[in-house]
Amino acid sequence: MAKEIQVLFIDDESDIIDSMKRLFMREAYGVAGVTRIEDARRVLSTEKIKVVVSDQRMPEMEGVQFLKEVKQQHPDSIRILFTGYTDITAAEEAINLGEVYRFLTKPWKSSELVSTIRQAIEHYDLVIESRKRKEELEIAHKRLKEMYEMQKEFTSTVSHELRTPLASIKTAIDLVIKRMVGDINAEQQDILERAKRNVDRLKRLIDDILDLMKIESGRLQMNFQSHDLVRVVQDAVEFHKPFAQSRGLALTLEPDPTVAPFVFDSDRITQVMNNLLNNAIKFTPQGGVTVKIENHIQGNHALVSIKDTGKGISEEDLPKLFRKFQQLESATENQEGGTGLGLAICKEIVTRHAGKIWAESRPGEGSTFSFLLPLEERRNS
Amino acid sequence: MTGAAKNILLVDDDTDLQFLVKTTLSCSGFCVETANNGLEALTRLSSFQPDLIVLDLNMPQMGGLEFCRRILDETGRLRYQVLIFTARANVENISQTFPISGFMSKPFEIDDLLREVNRITAAKA
């Protein structure tokens, strides 16, 4: 089987060409040898030549001149000047001008010559390969950018198109339930309450999906500023007191006043607190919820934990908690109907703060959800 | 509420929601006029002096942002109190572009809308 011709030798002395052909006979690639410029041009145009080795002193044209021509026609080819010591200056000049990759001297050492050609082929392959990779990367980058734009467009369109009709449905139901357009009886009220619960759930779901898409795509603008964590947690606890009371639950806060203000996004941490508190209250039939703030200066973080006296979470369910749309069976029994995205959003938010969030629980012994936030800035926003 | 009923111009191209919001506000003692887009709202302003304009953003012919631009005075302030009323996401920072009086996203709670509308119209009086 004929080997793919990758190397071209040109030398006006046919003896040299013959010895080259012999020398490279056992190589994995094929070698073409010619004595005339015209033949060299023909080989270059028909074969995929990686390396061109040209004699310097030829009657038709100087080697440097010929290689210059090769460079113009086949800029990727590796060009080597084959020359006696007397022409070294010309060779060096050619190398400096970028016309020639390197030169080989006559008389040559067979092993050196073969290894130089091998290296040249390798070099050629590497250059082509890395160019291919670069092109692939550029295409992938461009595609990613397009997808990002599409998602952005999609997100805001979906948001608008879903929320608009939902606003009408919700307002219509609320108007009637609130008896702003006349009285309704208990049965009608009950029916509409059910519709309302589900519309509100759909609204939360849309909000959560958009939120998560925004956070995951890295488009969520975090607003990192110095805040008092105790204050932020306290506000969230106060906000949930009526809800806890309506369930007959105690909601207590054990703050650590030594936590000095540090940098975090207070709106987003409030969102995390609201999620965790809402879950804790929702899934605790009796007893209470205790929120603790601890200052771990040595560990460079503040720890917030929300402990409830609910029925707890089984060991196999614990790892599923922070995944998307992973509502535990016990949770779906609940009337409130969460979106299954709340904890996934919490995780993203805490992660963006370079913090950590996790849950500990044993069935029958309640659950504790904790998150820690670094006190020193070391997040990338 | 004391004195004469406050005037509200409600600008929204969604006729169902427009009807429902008008009902909500009328039931709460406001005098409500409607327009289906920014252009209509501009025309309406020549004969109607609202204490507040409740303004949707995405509307045909003239959207809410262009409408805001048209009612800017020489000092860069809006000639009317404007409550932006939109289902669009990521427009919370619109107050940096125009000195709006309030922002309400759709869907909304009736109580929240009434609280905002009362706050803005009371502040003006």
Side-chain angles (χ1 to χ4, degrees), chain A residues 164 168 170 178 180 214, chain B residues 14 20 27 90 108-109 111:
Chain A
T164 300
S168 284
K170 178 169 167 55
K178 290 171 101 54
M180 290 175 77
K214 229 159 66 170
Chain B
D14 185 321
L20 293 162
C27 285
N90 318 324
F108 60 96
E109 295 294 335
D111 290 347

Side-chain angles (χ1 to χ4, degrees), chain A residues 12-58:
Chain A
D12 58 319
E13 291 176 53
S14 54
D15 291 353
I16 291 180
I17 292 299
D18 287 343
S19 57
M20 288 301 143
K21 282 181 174 168
R22 276 198 304 276
L23 184 57
F24 286 89
M25 214 152 59
R26 308 177 82 154
E27 290 295 298
Y29 48 87
V31 165
V34 297
T35 52
R36 310 222 9 223
I37 297 287
E38 192 188 315
D39 294 332
R41 288 184 185 133
R42 186 178 43 76
V43 172
L44 277 166
S45 64
T46 55
E47 304 291 340
K48 221 173 155 282
I49 299 297
K50 295 180 179 176
V51 182
V52 182
V53 185
S54 171
D55 179 27
Q56 165 67 350
R57 292 193 183 185
M58 297 182 289

Side-chain angles (χ1 to χ4, degrees), chain A residues 230 233 237 251-257 290-294 303 305:
Chain A
V230 174
V233 171
V237 168
L251 175 56
T252 46
L253 173 65
E254 295 175 13
D256 182 339
T290 309
V291 180
K292 235 188 240 179
I293 306 172
E294 289 166 49
L303 177 81
S305 59

